[in-house]
Amino acid sequence: MDTRRRITLEEFQAELGAQAVPREDLAFVCPMCRTVQSARSLIAAGVGATFEDVDGQLAFSCVGRFTNAGPPISGKAPGGGCNWTLGGLLRLHQLEVEVPDGPPQPTFAPASPEEAQALKAQHDAGAAKERA
Ligand SMILES: [Zn+2]
């Protein structure tokens, strides 16, 4: 079963825009463990302090790589992440984005607006707890 999609950069940006969340909360789904993750997830995992710090890993390496989550286990509920990265030998991905210059870029697929907003709410709740 090949479910790979190839979309244009404009379509990709439109899917992200539909999430209606700030840049830090734009959410993607790991193709292996189905964990929804954003730049804030990576920041929370200690990858970096700012969006710019984690941008290179976003939608490319699963947040679980940075929390020692281990390999993806089929049947396991998403959320914990896994050690998947699109930079590995197995180029398994479900989405490629066409860019003006160069080969199509593999990427984690954007999450649905509902998933992105739920993840944002989760991070907002966590941040509120830290401030309390
Ligand atoms: Zn994963």
Side-chain angles (χ1 to χ4, degrees):
M1 187 178 72
D2 186 5
T3 55
R4 187 172 297 180
R5 281 197 300 154
R6 184 179 286 185
I7 62 176
T8 65
L9 193 55
E10 288 73 22
E11 288 168 326
F12 185 64
Q13 286 165 344
E15 286 193 22
L16 292 178
Q19 293 183 1
V21 294
R23 182 176 69 157
E24 288 75 12
D25 289 300
L26 291 174
F28 301 87
V29 183
C30 173
M32 295 307 287
C33 70
R34 315 299 303 162
T35 295
V36 179
Q37 48 199 284
S38 66
R40 283 173 86 186
S41 306
L42 294 171
I43 291 168
V47 179
T50 66
F51 181 89
E52 283 71 23
D53 288 344
V54 304
D55 190 27
Q57 303 295 341
L58 186 62
F60 190 81
S61 293
C62 185
V63 65
R65 277 183 82 78
F66 309 100
T67 58
N68 296 316
I73 299 163
S74 82
K76 189 169 173 243
C82 69
N83 64 0
W84 196 255
T85 175
L86 296 180
L89 283 175
L90 282 167
R91 306 275 291 172
L92 188 146
H93 53 275
Q94 287 145 341
L95 183 66
E96 290 178 337
V97 179
E98 289 171 4
V99 291
D101 41 358
Q105 299 294 308
T107 175
F108 288 7
S112 71
E114 292 76 20
E115 288 171 325
Q117 284 156 25
L119 182 65
K120 178 182 186 302
Q122 203 178 307
H123 282 301
D124 287 347
K129 210 179 288 170
E130 271 171 37
R131 275 196 303 270

